Amino acid sequence: MENDVRTEGMYEYTVRFGEATIVRHLREYDFEKHDTVIPAYLGSYPVVEIGRAAFQEQYMIGSVTVPEGVRVIGGGAFADSNRITEIKLPRTLERIEGGAFSFCNALEWMVVPRGVNYIGGHAFWHCVSMTRIWLPDTVTDIEDWTFDECGQLYKLYMHSGTKISGERVFDRCRELNDIIRYDYMEEPTNGDFERAEGVGLVRENIERYKMW
């Protein structure tokens, strides 16, 4: 039956309208950090969503590849997985819900792919090792506390038309004094931000966005 929890390998998932949502990644106890490639299909159903807290507190994962076809990363999906250094997101992604990557303390950089139109509040809260983030021109607004306590963040690229309407969006980002706005910019590959070419790059002081 649809919405019943099913299991395949290390994944628990539900099915709705012929599409799969991962609801839980079963924790592994091999005590060695490893890379995880999330399957694009479970039980012949395409995976379209990483559910709420599905990968929360996964301490042995070092990197994650989210497959093409996934449209939503749920609230707190990877929260507190504090050994993840890299997450590769698919071009099909549309939404990153609140707290999705909060307390991913080892995450070093993030490229949010074009097509994402929503990033929830606290999405990158307390990513204390994060130094660089690139946001696409499809993101139209930034919500409350999105980058709060990203203490090492010093470089953030954002489209010139993206609004910053949330409260304390950059609170306690002590290394970040301004953001780089662009009219057009290539999407960085493999975290290589320096080689990505852009047009209309302008620095904007963000002091007023640090505190409400």
Side-chain angles (χ1 to χ4, degrees), residues 30-48:
D30 57 7
F31 300 104
E32 293 186 8
K33 191 168 73 169
H34 58 272
D35 300 332
T36 294
V37 178
I38 298 172
Y41 289 84
L42 287 170
S44 78
Y45 300 103
V47 175
V48 299

Side-chain angles (χ1 to χ4, degrees), residues 54-67:
F55 286 79
Q56 188 172 19
E57 297 181 346
Q58 297 286 326
Y59 303 128
M60 293 298 104
I61 296 178
S63 72
V64 177
T65 300
V66 181

Side-chain angles (χ1 to χ4, degrees), residues 134-146:
W134 186 88
L135 300 179
D137 49 14
T138 51
V139 172
T140 57
D141 199 2
I142 305 296
E143 295 200 353
D144 299 346
W145 308 86
T146 301

Side-chain angles (χ1 to χ4, degrees), residues 15-184:
V15 176
R16 182 173 172 81
F17 302 125
E19 297 176 325
T21 294
I22 294 175
V23 296
R24 186 183 178 202
H25 178 262
L26 302 175
R27 191 175 298 178
E28 299 174 84
Y29 293 96
D30 57 7
F31 300 104
E32 293 186 8
K33 191 168 73 169
H34 58 272
D35 300 332
T36 294
V37 178
I38 298 172
Y41 289 84
L42 287 170
S44 78
Y45 300 103
V47 175
V48 299
E49 181 173 349
I50 310 299
R52 184 177 183 83
F55 286 79
Q56 188 172 19
E57 297 181 346
Q58 297 286 326
Y59 303 128
M60 293 298 104
I61 296 178
S63 72
V64 177
T65 300
V66 181
E68 295 296 327
V70 170
R71 300 192 296 267
V72 178
I73 293 179
F78 295 93
D80 298 293
S81 294
N82 57 19
R83 298 184 71 184
I84 294 177
T85 59
E86 180 181 347
I87 298 177
K88 295 181 179 179
L89 301 176
R91 297 185 181 278
T92 52
L93 191 63
E94 298 172 3
R95 295 178 63 88
I96 297 173
E97 302 291 350
F101 304 105
S102 60
F103 285 83
C104 285
N105 295 337
L107 190 60
E108 297 174 358
W109 55 270
M110 174 65 72
V111 172
V112 177
R114 280 194 170 94
V116 172
N117 53 56
Y118 175 80
I119 299 177
H122 290 93
F124 299 99
W125 179 30
H126 205 272
C127 291
V128 294
S129 298
M130 182 89 74
T131 59
R132 310 177 309 286
I133 298 176
W134 186 88
L135 300 179
D137 49 14
T138 51
V139 172
T140 57
D141 199 2
I142 305 296
E143 295 200 353
D144 299 346
W145 308 86
T146 301
F147 303 104
D148 181 29
E149 289 193 279
C150 291
Q152 298 301 314
L153 180 63
Y154 72 90
K155 185 168 288 187
L156 189 150
Y157 293 91
M158 183 185 300
H159 188 254
S160 55
T162 300
K163 296 186 297 182
I164 303 175
S165 63
E167 299 175 4
R168 300 190 175 190
V169 172
F170 302 107
D171 196 17
R172 291 175 284 190
C173 293
R174 61 181 180 272
E175 299 296 326
L176 187 68
N177 296 313
D178 50 30
I179 56 178
I180 303 173
R181 296 278 196 172
Y182 65 86
D183 292 332
Y184 172 79

